[in-house]
Amino acid sequence: MLAVLVGLGVIVAVALVTTNGGGDDDKKSPTESGGSTRTPTPSFSIPSELPSELPSLPSELPSELPSEFPSELPSELPSGLESLIPNLADDEVPFYLLRTGDCFDTRDSQPGQAAKRSCGAPHDAEVVKVAELNGSYTTDAALQKAATELCEAPLERKAAQQPAGTVRGTLVQYPDPGVYEIGMDNVACSLAADIGSGTHKLTKPLT
């Protein structure tokens, strides 16, 4: 998961034969010399004895289920999936679980993660919009451009509604190419109190 931090003054494009078995209808029944017609009478015979032996079942049937099953499961997840699993121990969630109006803290070392916070307590950013990427993107640069373009207008509108000095930057969190390829297409568009190593915090919900 990746993120783009941008100062407010530099919000750039960031976004299925049937056969006829009948004979010849014109054929006539055979006649005798006296001219009378005789219809053959079918005879039936029933077997006098039943077979002395019936087919036997196989002499041996499996007596046991397999005694061993695989003893080990894969110890590692496929590359790119580790960042999709929330780390609940420290209250962090992956950015794609964020919803509009969520407030959170960030860490530079894990730009795809967010530690959710109460909007009434000091926090780094608030989600203004969650958007979805569409299209084919194979590079991080292409994904970054598409994500920031999705976020640009809603972030500018929201920023203009805030009192001066409340927000100082934008935060756009988007999937990397490997994660996007397996279907993760969310983009979190947020306004941030500060960018980089700044100490300014938001202390209430955005207006």
Side-chain angles (χ1 to χ4, degrees):
M1 308 302 174
L2 303 172
V4 179
L5 287 167
V6 182
L8 275 181
V10 197
I11 297 182
V12 296
V14 191
L16 199 259
V17 187
T18 302
T19 58
N20 185 352
D24 186 352
D25 292 339
D26 294 333
K27 288 184 179 179
K28 298 179 180 179
S29 301
T31 58
E32 294 182 350
S33 58
S36 63
T37 302
R38 182 176 66 186
T39 302
T41 302
S43 61
F44 298 95
S45 62
I46 299 175
S48 58
E49 295 182 0
L50 291 174
S52 59
E53 294 184 2
L54 293 174
S56 60
L57 292 172
S59 59
E60 293 184 4
L61 292 173
S63 58
E64 296 181 359
L65 291 173
S67 59
E68 295 184 1
F69 290 94
S71 58
E72 296 183 0
L73 292 173
S75 59
E76 296 183 359
L77 291 172
S79 175
L81 294 183
E82 296 91 339
S83 58
L84 302 182
I85 301 177
N87 185 348
L88 301 179
D90 54 9
D91 297 325
E92 290 189 354
V93 296
F95 84 89
Y96 65 83
L97 290 182
L98 291 171
R99 297 292 179 264
T100 299
D102 282 349
C103 296
F104 61 97
D105 282 340
T106 64
R107 286 196 302 187
D108 291 341
S109 61
Q110 292 184 296
Q113 296 291 100
K116 295 178 70 173
R117 298 288 182 257
S118 166
C119 290
H123 55 279
D124 293 335
E126 180 178 331
V127 182
V128 171
K129 181 178 181 177
V130 175
E132 292 184 358
L133 289 162
N134 290 295
S136 177
Y137 307 102
T138 58
T139 66
D140 178 67
L143 280 163
Q144 178 180 325
K145 183 177 185 296
T148 52
E149 286 176 350
L150 284 174
C151 292
E152 181 179 13
L155 289 179
E156 286 184 343
R157 285 194 299 268
K158 193 69 171 179
Q161 299 169 8
Q162 308 312 308
T166 303
V167 297
R168 300 181 181 179
T170 65
L171 176 62
V172 177
Q173 294 165 297
Y174 61 99
D176 62 31
V179 176
Y180 182 67
E181 186 176 354
I182 64 174
M184 180 54 60
D185 56 6
N186 280 7
V187 173
C189 311
S190 306
L191 284 177
D194 235 326
I195 58 176
S197 58
T199 59
H200 181 59
K201 294 277 187 178
L202 296 176
T203 57
K204 59 184 179 179
L206 296 174
T207 59

